[in-house]
Amino acid sequence: MNMIKWLFINRSIRTKIVWSSTIISLIPMLVLSFMFYRSSTHSLERTIYRSSDQNAQYVSGYLNQYFRDISSSALQIYGFERVLELMEHGGNVSDENFFNLRESLKNYYYLVTNKNKDAIIKIMIFGKDNKLRDYWSRATSYDSIPFDQSIPHFGDMLDLPFQQSLSFTYADPVVKQDLFVYAITIYNPFYHRKIGSLVFYIQQKELKKVIEANNLSPNVIVIRNARGETIYETNGQYSDLISKTSQPDAKTKNNPKAVRFDKNKDLLIATSSLDNGNLVQSIVYPNEELARHRKNTLLITIGAFIFVMLCISLLSMLAQQYITRPIKLLGKAMKTVRHGNFHVTINQPNRYRDDISELTRNFNYMTEKIRELIEQRYQMQLRNKEAQLLALQMQINPHFLYNTLQTIGGKAVLIGDYDIPEMCRSLGDLFRYSFYEGNTESTIGQELAHAGNYLYIQQFRFEDALQMEFNIPAELMDVYIIRFIMQPIIENAVVHGLGGPDDRQLLIRVGATRQADTVLLSVHDNGPGIEPAKLAALRSGLDTKSLEVFSGISIGLKNVHERIRLVYGEAYGLNIDSTPGEGTEIHIRIPYRKRGETIV
């Protein structure tokens, strides 16, 4: 929405035509470009998926065969009865079968190394009591490979569950090489009774050669064991994207592939379970071809967008001349009217019946009507001047009233009565404040003086039954307020607070406080209060705007409230609180403003 406003608001009609034509024409083109982009991307994704699927099966099949050879080499031990007896019961140097045992061990070692193409550098045979029975090393330097706490999984690699193996890698500190370890526990196949354990050692660089010989760059291979530990990874660039599965799930078990998209389809990850090794293989395919295809498609779309926009803009600029030329003439005529010349007329052939021609005819009709209205307003202003002269003549009556009150006060002083002059002065001040024809705004101090004159006169009537207290900070006395706000509210308290059956003394307190940018005036009395139902009706009446047009100064609370909101806004006005038997308090909220400041 903001973009539409920026394109069309405060723009010439020529610009609006060009922009609207461009936007309307571009929508179908963008839809077609998006459909082309989606279809071509999906097609390439399916092609890459099939290629990745085939590669995953090939790599998984080769590595399956590699670890199957290691596992089957270990299980060949079941074919050497003397070696099994050695593992289960131990050996004796004096045993008459000693030389036969050595021959069996030699044959077993030869079988294992030959089947695994001399990749195994050390074989260790442990009995069921986890004590070393025999070992074989490709070189004497490998005899020093320790089997102690320095090796990972030392505590549990000789007691693995039935048909379970453990594979891991570690850096051996003695031979200073990275080694791959394959351990398996041998059980009686019928009774599942432990016979012993076998541990094979392979140089990790040899394992790397086997894996990378079947990998295609830039693919990345990651192999983890059943405990989620990394056995091998081409590099650590995509380690966070591959889930560290502790055990292959049932769906991927014996399934050569499980391909999924990841990282906004910029990568393909093929996951599979390797047989006989309790290993999980993941192959990451960086989808560079798909990313390149997306980039090319985006460039084509942007190029088509710019080309179409230029073509449509040029055509729109040629077509808009037939639309904007009469609008420019109309705008020039309006500028002339704005400068006060209402006798301008645009010539328009009658045979033209389009929208702009109709607008031109309406403009000529408008200027003619304006000339007539100007003449009528001139006559009205003359009549207003006559009314103002009549109002000036009528102001003689208030001045006559002030002079008469002063004369009465002077006569009373001559006979020694000083109360009457004070009453005349207060009454005269009341009339003078009421008949003032100047600004309708006053100050809090002047409003309180006007209310004080009213209370002074009422005290002559009610004597000690009426008391008043004013607690207004000096800095708030010159705050602006519209006239006739305080006196109607105080008069309302006097009318309803005195003359009741309890004949109590009425105390009226007037206070004021400043709250940020507002001033809160309060008028509190200890009168009989207002019943809850009537109080609710009063509050509802304040919230409902009056439909009557009032003139002069009304003494009602509702009109006071409406006048405040009319001048200062909806945030200001009256609020009434009352408790039956305890009194009533009226709060008046106005903005804090002094001389020279304006209402916002």
Side-chain angles (χ1 to χ4, degrees), residues 545-578:
K545 290 188 176 181
S546 175
L547 299 179
E548 299 178 357
V549 179
F550 56 89
S551 60
I553 303 300
S554 175
I555 62 173
L557 295 180
K558 180 175 179 58
N559 283 337
V560 172
H561 178 69
E562 288 188 357
R563 288 174 56 224
I564 293 176
R565 299 184 75 174
L566 182 64
V567 175
Y568 299 126
E570 299 292 331
Y572 304 96
L574 303 185
N575 185 28
I576 305 174
D577 291 324
S578 181

PDB file of all heavy atoms in Angstrom, residues 545-578:
ATOM      1  N   LYS A 545     -23.121  13.357  23.124  1.00  0.00           N
ATOM      2  CA  LYS A 545     -23.089  14.715  22.610  1.00  0.00           C
ATOM      3  C   LYS A 545     -24.506  15.252  22.423  1.00  0.00           C
ATOM      4  O   LYS A 545     -25.405  14.542  21.986  1.00  0.00           O
ATOM      5  CB  LYS A 545     -22.346  14.757  21.268  1.00  0.00           C
ATOM      6  CG  LYS A 545     -20.847  14.517  21.404  1.00  0.00           C
ATOM      7  CD  LYS A 545     -20.155  14.761  20.080  1.00  0.00           C
ATOM      8  CE  LYS A 545     -18.649  14.604  20.246  1.00  0.00           C
ATOM      9  NZ  LYS A 545     -17.928  14.858  18.960  1.00  0.00           N
ATOM     10  N   SER A 546     -24.660  16.530  22.740  1.00  0.00           N
ATOM     11  CA  SER A 546     -25.967  17.166  22.627  1.00  0.00           C
ATOM     12  C   SER A 546     -26.272  17.478  21.173  1.00  0.00           C
ATOM     13  O   SER A 546     -25.392  17.865  20.400  1.00  0.00           O
ATOM     14  CB  SER A 546     -25.994  18.461  23.452  1.00  0.00           C
ATOM     15  OG  SER A 546     -27.211  19.123  23.255  1.00  0.00           O
ATOM     16  N   LEU A 547     -27.531  17.283  20.776  1.00  0.00           N
ATOM     17  CA  LEU A 547     -27.957  17.595  19.419  1.00  0.00           C
ATOM     18  C   LEU A 547     -28.549  18.994  19.322  1.00  0.00           C
ATOM     19  O   LEU A 547     -28.954  19.426  18.243  1.00  0.00           O
ATOM     20  CB  LEU A 547     -28.989  16.561  18.955  1.00  0.00           C
ATOM     21  CG  LEU A 547     -28.494  15.109  18.916  1.00  0.00           C
ATOM     22  CD1 LEU A 547     -29.625  14.193  18.470  1.00  0.00           C
ATOM     23  CD2 LEU A 547     -27.290  14.980  18.000  1.00  0.00           C
ATOM     24  N   GLU A 548     -28.627  19.733  20.439  1.00  0.00           N
ATOM     25  CA  GLU A 548     -29.219  21.062  20.448  1.00  0.00           C
ATOM     26  C   GLU A 548     -28.128  22.109  20.255  1.00  0.00           C
ATOM     27  O   GLU A 548     -27.009  21.961  20.755  1.00  0.00           O
ATOM     28  CB  GLU A 548     -29.934  21.332  21.779  1.00  0.00           C
ATOM     29  CG  GLU A 548     -31.077  20.361  22.038  1.00  0.00           C
ATOM     30  CD  GLU A 548     -31.721  20.643  23.387  1.00  0.00           C
ATOM     31  OE1 GLU A 548     -31.224  21.542  24.089  1.00  0.00           O
ATOM     32  OE2 GLU A 548     -32.705  19.971  23.715  1.00  0.00           O
ATOM     33  N   VAL A 549     -28.449  23.159  19.517  1.00  0.00           N
ATOM     34  CA  VAL A 549     -27.527  24.277  19.346  1.00  0.00           C
ATOM     35  C   VAL A 549     -27.839  25.299  20.422  1.00  0.00           C
ATOM     36  O   VAL A 549     -28.926  25.855  20.476  1.00  0.00           O
ATOM     37  CB  VAL A 549     -27.690  24.895  17.944  1.00  0.00           C
ATOM     38  CG1 VAL A 549     -26.752  26.073  17.787  1.00  0.00           C
ATOM     39  CG2 VAL A 549     -27.421  23.849  16.881  1.00  0.00           C
ATOM     40  N   PHE A 550     -26.880  25.540  21.321  1.00  0.00           N
ATOM     41  CA  PHE A 550     -27.126  26.470  22.435  1.00  0.00           C
ATOM     42  C   PHE A 550     -26.419  27.786  22.149  1.00  0.00           C
ATOM     43  O   PHE A 550     -25.374  27.825  21.501  1.00  0.00           O
ATOM     44  CB  PHE A 550     -26.667  25.884  23.774  1.00  0.00           C
ATOM     45  CG  PHE A 550     -25.218  25.479  23.787  1.00  0.00           C
ATOM     46  CD1 PHE A 550     -24.228  26.382  24.137  1.00  0.00           C
ATOM     47  CD2 PHE A 550     -24.851  24.180  23.438  1.00  0.00           C
ATOM     48  CE1 PHE A 550     -22.907  25.995  24.161  1.00  0.00           C
ATOM     49  CE2 PHE A 550     -23.533  23.811  23.445  1.00  0.00           C
ATOM     50  CZ  PHE A 550     -22.551  24.707  23.817  1.00  0.00           C
ATOM     51  N   SER A 551     -26.983  28.861  22.650  1.00  0.00           N
ATOM     52  CA  SER A 551     -26.395  30.186  22.478  1.00  0.00           C
ATOM     53  C   SER A 551     -26.214  30.812  23.836  1.00  0.00           C
ATOM     54  O   SER A 551     -26.840  30.439  24.810  1.00  0.00           O
ATOM     55  CB  SER A 551     -27.292  31.063  21.593  1.00  0.00           C
ATOM     56  OG  SER A 551     -28.571  31.202  22.182  1.00  0.00           O
ATOM     57  N   GLY A 552     -25.351  31.814  23.915  1.00  0.00           N
ATOM     58  CA  GLY A 552     -25.068  32.443  25.187  1.00  0.00           C
ATOM     59  C   GLY A 552     -24.273  31.543  26.082  1.00  0.00           C
ATOM     60  O   GLY A 552     -23.557  30.655  25.654  1.00  0.00           O
ATOM     61  N   ILE A 553     -24.393  31.704  27.395  1.00  0.00           N
ATOM     62  CA  ILE A 553     -23.655  30.927  28.378  1.00  0.00           C
ATOM     63  C   ILE A 553     -24.637  30.081  29.158  1.00  0.00           C
ATOM     64  O   ILE A 553     -25.533  30.600  29.819  1.00  0.00           O
ATOM     65  CB  ILE A 553     -22.866  31.851  29.332  1.00  0.00           C
ATOM     66  CG1 ILE A 553     -21.933  32.733  28.539  1.00  0.00           C
ATOM     67  CG2 ILE A 553     -22.096  31.019  30.340  1.00  0.00           C
ATOM     68  CD1 ILE A 553     -20.911  31.967  27.732  1.00  0.00           C
ATOM     69  N   SER A 554     -24.477  28.759  29.090  1.00  0.00           N
ATOM     70  CA  SER A 554     -25.352  27.850  29.815  1.00  0.00           C
ATOM     71  C   SER A 554     -24.721  27.517  31.150  1.00  0.00           C
ATOM     72  O   SER A 554     -23.511  27.390  31.265  1.00  0.00           O
ATOM     73  CB  SER A 554     -25.571  26.574  29.017  1.00  0.00           C
ATOM     74  OG  SER A 554     -26.313  25.658  29.773  1.00  0.00           O
ATOM     75  N   ILE A 555     -25.556  27.335  32.161  1.00  0.00           N
ATOM     76  CA  ILE A 555     -25.017  27.018  33.490  1.00  0.00           C
ATOM     77  C   ILE A 555     -25.028  25.519  33.732  1.00  0.00           C
ATOM     78  O   ILE A 555     -24.661  25.063  34.795  1.00  0.00           O
ATOM     79  CB  ILE A 555     -25.830  27.752  34.585  1.00  0.00           C
ATOM     80  CG1 ILE A 555     -27.289  27.293  34.568  1.00  0.00           C
ATOM     81  CG2 ILE A 555     -25.719  29.250  34.410  1.00  0.00           C
ATOM     82  CD1 ILE A 555     -28.101  27.843  35.737  1.00  0.00           C
ATOM     83  N   GLY A 556     -25.480  24.733  32.802  1.00  0.00           N
ATOM     84  CA  GLY A 556     -25.541  23.290  32.988  1.00  0.00           C
ATOM     85  C   GLY A 556     -24.175  22.643  32.898  1.00  0.00           C
ATOM     86  O   GLY A 556     -23.287  23.100  32.163  1.00  0.00           O
ATOM     87  N   LEU A 557     -23.988  21.531  33.683  1.00  0.00           N
ATOM     88  CA  LEU A 557     -22.714  20.803  33.644  1.00  0.00           C
ATOM     89  C   LEU A 557     -22.463  20.242  32.249  1.00  0.00           C
ATOM     90  O   LEU A 557     -21.315  20.189  31.787  1.00  0.00           O
ATOM     91  CB  LEU A 557     -22.728  19.681  34.672  1.00  0.00           C
ATOM     92  CG  LEU A 557     -22.807  20.104  36.141  1.00  0.00           C
ATOM     93  CD1 LEU A 557     -22.820  18.856  37.028  1.00  0.00           C
ATOM     94  CD2 LEU A 557     -21.636  21.002  36.509  1.00  0.00           C
ATOM     95  N   LYS A 558     -23.503  19.781  31.571  1.00  0.00           N
ATOM     96  CA  LYS A 558     -23.335  19.174  30.259  1.00  0.00           C
ATOM     97  C   LYS A 558     -22.790  20.176  29.259  1.00  0.00           C
ATOM     98  O   LYS A 558     -21.875  19.867  28.484  1.00  0.00           O
ATOM     99  CB  LYS A 558     -24.673  18.614  29.782  1.00  0.00           C
ATOM    100  CG  LYS A 558     -24.598  17.943  28.413  1.00  0.00           C
ATOM    101  CD  LYS A 558     -25.909  17.308  28.050  1.00  0.00           C
ATOM    102  CE  LYS A 558     -25.850  16.670  26.671  1.00  0.00           C
ATOM    103  NZ  LYS A 558     -24.807  15.654  26.576  1.00  0.00           N
ATOM    104  N   ASN A 559     -23.331  21.417  29.293  1.00  0.00           N
ATOM    105  CA  ASN A 559     -22.862  22.415  28.331  1.00  0.00           C
ATOM    106  C   ASN A 559     -21.433  22.858  28.648  1.00  0.00           C
ATOM    107  O   ASN A 559     -20.651  23.150  27.748  1.00  0.00           O
ATOM    108  CB  ASN A 559     -23.797  23.625  28.317  1.00  0.00           C
ATOM    109  CG  ASN A 559     -25.075  23.336  27.558  1.00  0.00           C
ATOM    110  OD1 ASN A 559     -25.097  22.453  26.713  1.00  0.00           O
ATOM    111  ND2 ASN A 559     -26.137  24.057  27.868  1.00  0.00           N
ATOM    112  N   VAL A 560     -21.103  22.907  29.940  1.00  0.00           N
ATOM    113  CA  VAL A 560     -19.711  23.219  30.311  1.00  0.00           C
ATOM    114  C   VAL A 560     -18.782  22.140  29.767  1.00  0.00           C
ATOM    115  O   VAL A 560     -17.717  22.430  29.197  1.00  0.00           O
ATOM    116  CB  VAL A 560     -19.581  23.343  31.840  1.00  0.00           C
ATOM    117  CG1 VAL A 560     -18.106  23.460  32.250  1.00  0.00           C
ATOM    118  CG2 VAL A 560     -20.358  24.552  32.335  1.00  0.00           C
ATOM    119  N   HIS A 561     -19.175  20.876  29.944  1.00  0.00           N
ATOM    120  CA  HIS A 561     -18.364  19.772  29.447  1.00  0.00           C
ATOM    121  C   HIS A 561     -18.209  19.841  27.923  1.00  0.00           C
ATOM    122  O   HIS A 561     -17.101  19.648  27.388  1.00  0.00           O
ATOM    123  CB  HIS A 561     -19.028  18.453  29.856  1.00  0.00           C
ATOM    124  CG  HIS A 561     -18.324  17.223  29.375  1.00  0.00           C
ATOM    125  ND1 HIS A 561     -17.093  16.831  29.847  1.00  0.00           N
ATOM    126  CD2 HIS A 561     -18.694  16.291  28.435  1.00  0.00           C
ATOM    127  CE1 HIS A 561     -16.724  15.716  29.235  1.00  0.00           C
ATOM    128  NE2 HIS A 561     -17.674  15.371  28.375  1.00  0.00           N
ATOM    129  N   GLU A 562     -19.311  20.116  27.198  1.00  0.00           N
ATOM    130  CA  GLU A 562     -19.241  20.170  25.737  1.00  0.00           C
ATOM    131  C   GLU A 562     -18.399  21.349  25.266  1.00  0.00           C
ATOM    132  O   GLU A 562     -17.670  21.239  24.265  1.00  0.00           O
ATOM    133  CB  GLU A 562     -20.647  20.252  25.152  1.00  0.00           C
ATOM    134  CG  GLU A 562     -21.428  18.938  25.278  1.00  0.00           C
ATOM    135  CD  GLU A 562     -22.738  18.991  24.513  1.00  0.00           C
ATOM    136  OE1 GLU A 562     -23.046  20.067  23.955  1.00  0.00           O
ATOM    137  OE2 GLU A 562     -23.430  17.973  24.468  1.00  0.00           O
ATOM    138  N   ARG A 563     -18.462  22.485  25.941  1.00  0.00           N
ATOM    139  CA  ARG A 563     -17.653  23.649  25.549  1.00  0.00           C
ATOM    140  C   ARG A 563     -16.159  23.353  25.706  1.00  0.00           C
ATOM    141  O   ARG A 563     -15.341  23.717  24.855  1.00  0.00           O
ATOM    142  CB  ARG A 563     -18.057  24.859  26.381  1.00  0.00           C
ATOM    143  CG  ARG A 563     -19.410  25.439  26.012  1.00  0.00           C
ATOM    144  CD  ARG A 563     -19.813  26.549  26.972  1.00  0.00           C
ATOM    145  NE  ARG A 563     -18.797  27.569  27.007  1.00  0.00           N
ATOM    146  CZ  ARG A 563     -18.342  28.147  28.126  1.00  0.00           C
ATOM    147  NH1 ARG A 563     -18.829  27.757  29.303  1.00  0.00           N
ATOM    148  NH2 ARG A 563     -17.422  29.075  28.058  1.00  0.00           N
ATOM    149  N   ILE A 564     -15.794  22.673  26.799  1.00  0.00           N
ATOM    150  CA  ILE A 564     -14.373  22.342  27.011  1.00  0.00           C
ATOM    151  C   ILE A 564     -13.883  21.402  25.911  1.00  0.00           C
ATOM    152  O   ILE A 564     -12.802  21.612  25.326  1.00  0.00           O
ATOM    153  CB  ILE A 564     -14.181  21.702  28.402  1.00  0.00           C
ATOM    154  CG1 ILE A 564     -14.457  22.729  29.500  1.00  0.00           C
ATOM    155  CG2 ILE A 564     -12.761  21.149  28.548  1.00  0.00           C
ATOM    156  CD1 ILE A 564     -14.390  22.156  30.905  1.00  0.00           C
ATOM    157  N   ARG A 565     -14.652  20.373  25.610  1.00  0.00           N
ATOM    158  CA  ARG A 565     -14.233  19.410  24.576  1.00  0.00           C
ATOM    159  C   ARG A 565     -14.252  20.040  23.190  1.00  0.00           C
ATOM    160  O   ARG A 565     -13.452  19.669  22.328  1.00  0.00           O
ATOM    161  CB  ARG A 565     -15.147  18.188  24.614  1.00  0.00           C
ATOM    162  CG  ARG A 565     -15.109  17.456  25.951  1.00  0.00           C
ATOM    163  CD  ARG A 565     -15.950  16.199  25.941  1.00  0.00           C
ATOM    164  NE  ARG A 565     -15.287  15.139  25.190  1.00  0.00           N
ATOM    165  CZ  ARG A 565     -15.764  13.897  25.119  1.00  0.00           C
ATOM    166  NH1 ARG A 565     -16.889  13.581  25.741  1.00  0.00           N
ATOM    167  NH2 ARG A 565     -15.136  12.982  24.420  1.00  0.00           N
ATOM    168  N   LEU A 566     -15.166  20.989  22.960  1.00  0.00           N
ATOM    169  CA  LEU A 566     -15.216  21.658  21.671  1.00  0.00           C
ATOM    170  C   LEU A 566     -13.970  22.498  21.426  1.00  0.00           C
ATOM    171  O   LEU A 566     -13.442  22.555  20.311  1.00  0.00           O
ATOM    172  CB  LEU A 566     -16.479  22.534  21.597  1.00  0.00           C
ATOM    173  CG  LEU A 566     -16.709  23.289  20.277  1.00  0.00           C
ATOM    174  CD1 LEU A 566     -16.934  22.292  19.154  1.00  0.00           C
ATOM    175  CD2 LEU A 566     -17.880  24.237  20.403  1.00  0.00           C
ATOM    176  N   VAL A 567     -13.466  23.145  22.495  1.00  0.00           N
ATOM    177  CA  VAL A 567     -12.303  24.028  22.350  1.00  0.00           C
ATOM    178  C   VAL A 567     -10.997  23.251  22.432  1.00  0.00           C
ATOM    179  O   VAL A 567     -10.075  23.459  21.623  1.00  0.00           O
ATOM    180  CB  VAL A 567     -12.342  25.136  23.428  1.00  0.00           C
ATOM    181  CG1 VAL A 567     -11.072  25.991  23.367  1.00  0.00           C
ATOM    182  CG2 VAL A 567     -13.569  26.015  23.227  1.00  0.00           C
ATOM    183  N   TYR A 568     -10.886  22.305  23.399  1.00  0.00           N
ATOM    184  CA  TYR A 568      -9.590  21.663  23.670  1.00  0.00           C
ATOM    185  C   TYR A 568      -9.474  20.250  23.095  1.00  0.00           C
ATOM    186  O   TYR A 568      -8.360  19.755  22.947  1.00  0.00           O
ATOM    187  CB  TYR A 568      -9.342  21.615  25.180  1.00  0.00           C
ATOM    188  CG  TYR A 568      -9.284  22.978  25.825  1.00  0.00           C
ATOM    189  CD1 TYR A 568     -10.092  23.299  26.908  1.00  0.00           C
ATOM    190  CD2 TYR A 568      -8.406  23.952  25.353  1.00  0.00           C
ATOM    191  CE1 TYR A 568     -10.037  24.552  27.508  1.00  0.00           C
ATOM    192  CE2 TYR A 568      -8.347  25.206  25.943  1.00  0.00           C
ATOM    193  CZ  TYR A 568      -9.170  25.505  27.019  1.00  0.00           C
ATOM    194  OH  TYR A 568      -9.090  26.726  27.599  1.00  0.00           O
ATOM    195  N   GLY A 569     -10.568  19.579  22.844  1.00  0.00           N
ATOM    196  CA  GLY A 569     -10.481  18.226  22.300  1.00  0.00           C
ATOM    197  C   GLY A 569     -11.157  17.204  23.196  1.00  0.00           C
ATOM    198  O   GLY A 569     -11.591  17.487  24.327  1.00  0.00           O
ATOM    199  N   GLU A 570     -11.260  15.965  22.677  1.00  0.00           N
ATOM    200  CA  GLU A 570     -11.970  14.887  23.362  1.00  0.00           C
ATOM    201  C   GLU A 570     -11.284  14.424  24.642  1.00  0.00           C
ATOM    202  O   GLU A 570     -11.897  13.774  25.487  1.00  0.00           O
ATOM    203  CB  GLU A 570     -12.117  13.682  22.424  1.00  0.00           C
ATOM    204  CG  GLU A 570     -12.918  13.964  21.153  1.00  0.00           C
ATOM    205  CD  GLU A 570     -14.381  14.227  21.446  1.00  0.00           C
ATOM    206  OE1 GLU A 570     -14.871  13.669  22.453  1.00  0.00           O
ATOM    207  OE2 GLU A 570     -15.019  14.982  20.692  1.00  0.00           O
ATOM    208  N   ALA A 571      -9.984  14.730  24.796  1.00  0.00           N
ATOM    209  CA  ALA A 571      -9.250  14.258  25.971  1.00  0.00           C
ATOM    210  C   ALA A 571      -9.552  15.091  27.217  1.00  0.00           C
ATOM    211  O   ALA A 571      -9.116  14.728  28.323  1.00  0.00           O
ATOM    212  CB  ALA A 571      -7.744  14.262  25.701  1.00  0.00           C
ATOM    213  N   TYR A 572     -10.277  16.179  27.079  1.00  0.00           N
ATOM    214  CA  TYR A 572     -10.503  17.092  28.206  1.00  0.00           C
ATOM    215  C   TYR A 572     -12.001  17.155  28.512  1.00  0.00           C
ATOM    216  O   TYR A 572     -12.835  16.682  27.741  1.00  0.00           O
ATOM    217  CB  TYR A 572      -9.953  18.485  27.875  1.00  0.00           C
ATOM    218  CG  TYR A 572      -8.493  18.470  27.496  1.00  0.00           C
ATOM    219  CD1 TYR A 572      -8.104  18.435  26.159  1.00  0.00           C
ATOM    220  CD2 TYR A 572      -7.507  18.445  28.474  1.00  0.00           C
ATOM    221  CE1 TYR A 572      -6.757  18.411  25.810  1.00  0.00           C
ATOM    222  CE2 TYR A 572      -6.156  18.415  28.134  1.00  0.00           C
ATOM    223  CZ  TYR A 572      -5.792  18.397  26.799  1.00  0.00           C
ATOM    224  OH  TYR A 572      -4.467  18.362  26.467  1.00  0.00           O
ATOM    225  N   GLY A 573     -12.332  17.757  29.677  1.00  0.00           N
ATOM    226  CA  GLY A 573     -13.725  17.877  30.063  1.00  0.00           C
ATOM    227  C   GLY A 573     -13.924  17.620  31.546  1.00  0.00           C
ATOM    228  O   GLY A 573     -13.004  17.768  32.359  1.00  0.00           O
ATOM    229  N   LEU A 574     -15.162  17.222  31.912  1.00  0.00           N
ATOM    230  CA  LEU A 574     -15.550  17.029  33.313  1.00  0.00           C
ATOM    231  C   LEU A 574     -15.607  15.555  33.663  1.00  0.00           C
ATOM    232  O   LEU A 574     -15.868  14.716  32.795  1.00  0.00           O
ATOM    233  CB  LEU A 574     -16.919  17.664  33.578  1.00  0.00           C
ATOM    234  CG  LEU A 574     -17.096  19.150  33.277  1.00  0.00           C
ATOM    235  CD1 LEU A 574     -18.476  19.601  33.716  1.00  0.00           C
ATOM    236  CD2 LEU A 574     -16.019  19.992  33.955  1.00  0.00           C
ATOM    237  N   ASN A 575     -15.410  15.296  34.952  1.00  0.00           N
ATOM    238  CA  ASN A 575     -15.580  13.956  35.509  1.00  0.00           C
ATOM    239  C   ASN A 575     -16.206  14.104  36.890  1.00  0.00           C
ATOM    240  O   ASN A 575     -15.722  14.894  37.715  1.00  0.00           O
ATOM    241  CB  ASN A 575     -14.238  13.234  35.592  1.00  0.00           C
ATOM    242  CG  ASN A 575     -14.413  11.792  36.046  1.00  0.00           C
ATOM    243  OD1 ASN A 575     -15.453  11.200  35.813  1.00  0.00           O
ATOM    244  ND2 ASN A 575     -13.410  11.264  36.718  1.00  0.00           N
ATOM    245  N   ILE A 576     -17.269  13.354  37.183  1.00  0.00           N
ATOM    246  CA  ILE A 576     -18.047  13.523  38.416  1.00  0.00           C
ATOM    247  C   ILE A 576     -17.855  12.307  39.302  1.00  0.00           C
ATOM    248  O   ILE A 576     -18.029  11.165  38.858  1.00  0.00           O
ATOM    249  CB  ILE A 576     -19.542  13.726  38.105  1.00  0.00           C
ATOM    250  CG1 ILE A 576     -19.738  14.893  37.128  1.00  0.00           C
ATOM    251  CG2 ILE A 576     -20.332  13.954  39.381  1.00  0.00           C
ATOM    252  CD1 ILE A 576     -21.174  15.060  36.671  1.00  0.00           C
ATOM    253  N   ASP A 577     -17.514  12.556  40.578  1.00  0.00           N
ATOM    254  CA  ASP A 577     -17.458  11.519  41.604  1.00  0.00           C
ATOM    255  C   ASP A 577     -18.329  11.977  42.774  1.00  0.00           C
ATOM    256  O   ASP A 577     -18.264  13.145  43.189  1.00  0.00           O
ATOM    257  CB  ASP A 577     -16.013  11.296  42.084  1.00  0.00           C
ATOM    258  CG  ASP A 577     -15.155  10.649  41.019  1.00  0.00           C
ATOM    259  OD1 ASP A 577     -15.679   9.807  40.289  1.00  0.00           O
ATOM    260  OD2 ASP A 577     -13.962  11.000  40.914  1.00  0.00           O
ATOM    261  N   SER A 578     -19.116  11.059  43.308  1.00  0.00           N
ATOM    262  CA  SER A 578     -20.004  11.439  44.405  1.00  0.00           C
ATOM    263  C   SER A 578     -20.317  10.226  45.256  1.00  0.00           C
ATOM    264  O   SER A 578     -20.427   9.103  44.747  1.00  0.00           O
ATOM    265  CB  SER A 578     -21.304  12.047  43.859  1.00  0.00           C
ATOM    266  OG  SER A 578     -22.155  12.443  44.919  1.00  0.00           O
TER     267      SER A 578
END
